[in-house]
Amino acid sequence: MNTNEIIERLNEVFRDVFGDDSISVTPATTSADIDDWDSIEHINLIGAVESEFGMRFKMREVSGMKNVGEMISIIEERGK
């Protein structure tokens, strides 16, 4: 799975979690870029991403993610 495929799937997850079909994430996207992305929605988002990609993030990965690009990197690494 390449970066573009991951971004496409993440866009669907983000749109579903935040209920906003206009969301389009990039590797630089942060919580400041999306309305309603607070700590509660972050937990929902992580759960939805884990479900979509059939994986589990480690707690240090979740707490260390600064942007969507870091999430993509973890997904790519696990997909190898």
Side-chain angles (χ1 to χ4, degrees), residues 6-14 49 53 68 71-72:
I6 293 171
I7 290 173
E8 284 178 29
R9 290 172 67 180
L10 284 175
N11 273 322
E12 292 303 316
V13 171
F14 273 74
V49 171
F53 291 93
V68 173
M71 184 182 289
I72 292 167

Side-chain angles (χ1 to χ4, degrees), residues 13-14 17-18 29-32 34-50 57-68 70-71 74:
V13 171
F14 273 74
V17 168
F18 294 105
T29 301
T30 67
S31 59
I34 298 178
D35 291 340
D36 300 326
W37 188 348
D38 57 19
S39 57
I40 300 296
E41 286 303 330
H42 187 72
I43 293 167
N44 293 333
L45 176 64
I46 293 299
V49 171
E50 288 176 335
F57 290 109
K58 296 179 176 123
M59 185 54 73
R60 71 180 190 287
E61 292 170 335
V62 173
S63 61
M65 284 181 205
K66 294 179 180 37
N67 57 39
V68 173
E70 291 182 14
M71 184 182 289
I74 294 166

